[in-house]
Amino acid sequence: MYTEILSSPATFVIEPRGFLTGQLRVPGDKSISHRAIMLGALAEGITYIKGFLEGEDTLATLEAFRMLGVTIQGPEKGGDIRIHGVGLQGLQAPRVPIYLGNSGTSMRLLAGLFAGQAFNVELVGDTSLSRRPMRRVCDPLTQMGAFIETTYQGTPPLFIHGGRFLHGMEYIMPIASAQVKSSLLLAGLYATGETRIIESTPTRDHTERMLIGFGYPIEQSGASISVQGGGKLYGTAIEVPADISSAAFFIVGALISTGSDILLEHVGINPTRTGVIDILRRMGAEIEVEESGIVGGEPVAAIRVKASKLYGIEIPKELVSLAIDEFPAIFIAAACAEGQTTLTGAEELRIKESDRIQVMADGLQALGISVKPTPDGIIIQGGQLQGGEVNSHGDHRCAMAFAIAGLAAKNTIIVHDCANVATSFPGFIGLASAAGLAINHA
Ligand code: S3P
């Protein structure tokens, strides 16, 4: 049987001093790392990955494929992995339920990938993942012919029945979600005919780019993406760029602390992920992005950030899905800005690893900032961050956002429930201290 791996609760203590300097490389991109394992496992031949994120979420995806009979060597020295792909029809039935920890991306993408297998699979998660909505993938997958059981509330565990015959369909996305889009595209690889997804709002397109990299034909025209079932993926080499979502904490940290000047190396700047840079620049941030090439179909750049005077803004709605994971960090920038920042159209933030609007609002209030949470966003009145105790509620991104707030705070900040930082950013404390954040474990 599976057991939930409970990391010991970690508390961060951040002293109110310091600024960020130096040249840093944050760990590999989480979204790209998940997809590299999935497509590498389903490919014919060997896939070599460099720069894989060794976080708990992506390791959960990796372990899932080992349980399905895929030989995966590594990760070794900084994220080198070699996957012996088994082909689209080569996965074997797992003997026990697959535990995916905190990882919503693993569960939603794998639901699509497993819907067309010959065998049954049960997917389970930790307490946070067990509360997250899965109907957004299960409903359209059911329309394609899948049979997936959830709890009555539509939450995990997911029991995915094997031996179903999937058929392609046209699906107009009711929400902006790369996880849903990717889940359906992966199911589409096993479906008869064409699976066509129409997005009303653009979301990260790593799955589309990587399918092309693995030699699988897809058709893209405007907001529509389609795949035909029955093709083949071919093993390839993938270099994973540094994760812009992890870089965001250092970008904001540098902006809010006088004297900061940092260079972030080899960061993925896929245009479906760079909303954070656009938003911060609109707030007055001095951020230079020097594109250095394309790796594995993804553009990368060196990003230089200097401390800047920030101003509150109304965040344009069209940037929300392009910055969806960076709002905890952006809220810290807003707390340090002059004037008011208003976010709307971001109700998805309430169903991430935590209710990020409430968790960040409570924490910012505890740190002396005037904040009004709304059903689909937040209003933040910039001011002086004081010190105090806040709770990240087990949300890795909220924990790191509160940690970097220490760079602009008057007194010590204590952040509780930070163990999940390891889901996306192993080594955060080491890298942040080396750059100048006065952070320690309690
Ligand atoms: C992800 C998509 C986003 C994001 C998540 C990773 C992905 O979720 O928040 O951290 O890798 O596809 P949604 O697509 O549900 O917005």
Side-chain angles (χ1 to χ4, degrees):
M1 275 309 291
Y2 66 90
T3 43
E4 181 163 330
I5 305 149
L6 288 173
S7 334
S8 55
T11 299
F12 291 170
V13 179
I14 305 100
E15 299 303 335
R17 60 185 144 80
F19 51 89
L20 301 181
T21 53
Q23 207 161 317
L24 330 166
R25 180 157 177 171
V26 299
D29 188 278
K30 182 153 81 72
S31 295
I32 298 175
S33 295
H34 280 299
R35 289 157 170 83
I37 297 284
M38 293 177 191
L39 298 192
L42 298 178
E44 315 269 328
I46 297 182
T47 289
Y48 301 89
I49 310 176
K50 259 188 174 323
F52 176 77
L53 168 67
E54 292 176 66
E56 288 169 7
D57 279 11
T58 42
L59 289 170
T61 292
L62 185 154
E63 285 306 327
F65 284 94
R66 283 195 173 134
M67 289 171 73
L68 299 174
V70 181
T71 302
I72 303 177
Q73 292 165 279
E76 279 163 18
K77 57 165 178 57
D80 282 7
I81 289 188
R82 184 194 279 236
I83 307 176
H84 298 259
V86 295
L88 277 160
Q89 304 302 334
L91 298 175
Q92 291 162 24
R95 282 197 286 263
V96 290
I98 298 178
Y99 178 68
L100 298 170
N102 196 245
S103 181
T105 307
S106 308
M107 190 165 288
R108 295 199 179 114
L109 269 59
L110 291 180
L113 200 158
F114 293 155
Q117 304 295 331
F119 47 82
N120 299 338
V121 188
E122 186 173 0
L123 301 180
V124 296
D126 71 3
T127 329
S128 152
L129 182 52
S130 299
R131 281 196 293 258
R132 297 185 66 188
M134 292 296 147
R135 285 202 179 112
R136 54 183 53 209
V137 287
C138 295
D139 287 352
L141 288 170
T142 304
Q143 288 174 41
M144 291 176 76
F147 179 22
I148 305 178
E149 292 175 80
T150 63
T151 64
Y152 180 70
Q153 291 82 13
T155 53
L158 298 187
F159 193 91
I160 305 165
H161 292 258
R164 308 285 300 178
F165 292 97
L166 305 186
H167 46 83
M169 67 163 179
E170 180 173 298
Y171 188 67
I172 301 174
M173 297 270 299
I175 48 168
S177 169
Q179 293 181 347
V180 175
K181 170 178 64 176
S182 303
S183 182
L184 301 182
L185 289 173
L186 292 172
L189 304 182
Y190 290 90
T192 52
E194 182 187 71
T195 300
R196 180 184 294 276
I197 319 288
I198 296 154
E199 284 197 293
S200 44
T201 310
T203 62
R204 66 191 68 194
D205 62 358
H206 305 300
T207 306
E208 297 90 303
R209 286 173 187 252
M210 207 180 282
L211 280 170
I212 296 168
F214 275 87
Y216 203 100
I218 66 168
E219 244 180 63
Q220 282 169 296
S221 146
S224 126
I225 309 125
S226 52
V227 290
Q228 295 276 349
K232 274 187 179 177
L233 297 157
Y234 300 94
T236 185
I238 293 177
E239 192 184 330
V240 181
D243 198 326
I244 191 166
S245 301
S246 298
F249 300 107
F250 289 89
I251 296 175
V252 170
L255 291 172
I256 62 173
S257 50
T258 314
S260 290
D261 185 351
I262 55 163
L263 187 71
L264 293 152
E265 297 168 354
H266 211 65
V267 182
I269 52 152
N270 178 317
T272 59
R273 296 286 297 282
T274 47
V276 59
I277 293 175
D278 297 333
I279 292 170
L280 292 170
R281 278 185 175 153
R282 281 166 187 258
M283 295 175 76
E286 207 181 310
I287 304 175
E288 283 169 36
V289 178
E290 197 174 314
E291 191 165 339
S292 54
I294 307 275
V295 297
E298 297 279 348
V300 292
I303 301 184
R304 174 107 190 253
V305 191
K306 290 187 184 164
S308 307
K309 171 94 186 112
L310 300 177
Y311 299 91
I313 59 164
E314 274 188 27
I315 298 175
K317 271 193 184 166
E318 65 274 15
L319 292 179
V320 170
S321 68
L322 310 180
I324 194 69
D325 287 342
E326 289 68 68
F327 283 107
I330 292 168
F331 294 167
I332 300 299
C336 299
E338 185 181 313
Q340 181 172 292
T341 295
T342 308
L343 171 68
T344 54
E347 52 282 330
E348 280 288 310
L349 289 181
R350 290 201 176 270
I351 47 171
K352 291 292 178 189
E353 286 82 329
S354 71
D355 175 345
R356 286 187 175 155
I357 290 175
Q358 200 57 50
V359 168
M360 291 305 298
D362 291 346
L364 285 171
Q365 265 156 3
L367 298 176
I369 299 293
S370 164
V371 174
K372 187 171 180 290
T374 61
D376 70 338
I378 197 164
I379 302 167
I380 299 174
Q381 199 61 48
Q384 170 63 56
L385 284 160
Q386 306 296 323
E389 292 199 32
V390 299
N391 195 317
S392 81
H393 290 274
D395 187 316
H396 55 137
R397 300 201 198 281
C398 296
M400 290 184 275
F402 289 132
I404 52 124
L407 289 160
K410 263 196 162 160
N411 294 304
T412 307
I413 295 179
I414 299 176
V415 192
H416 294 289
D417 205 355
C418 302
N420 279 337
V421 162
T423 60
S424 68
F425 202 146
F428 171 71
I429 290 200
L431 201 63
S433 345
L437 183 69
I439 180 168
N440 266 304
H441 275 290

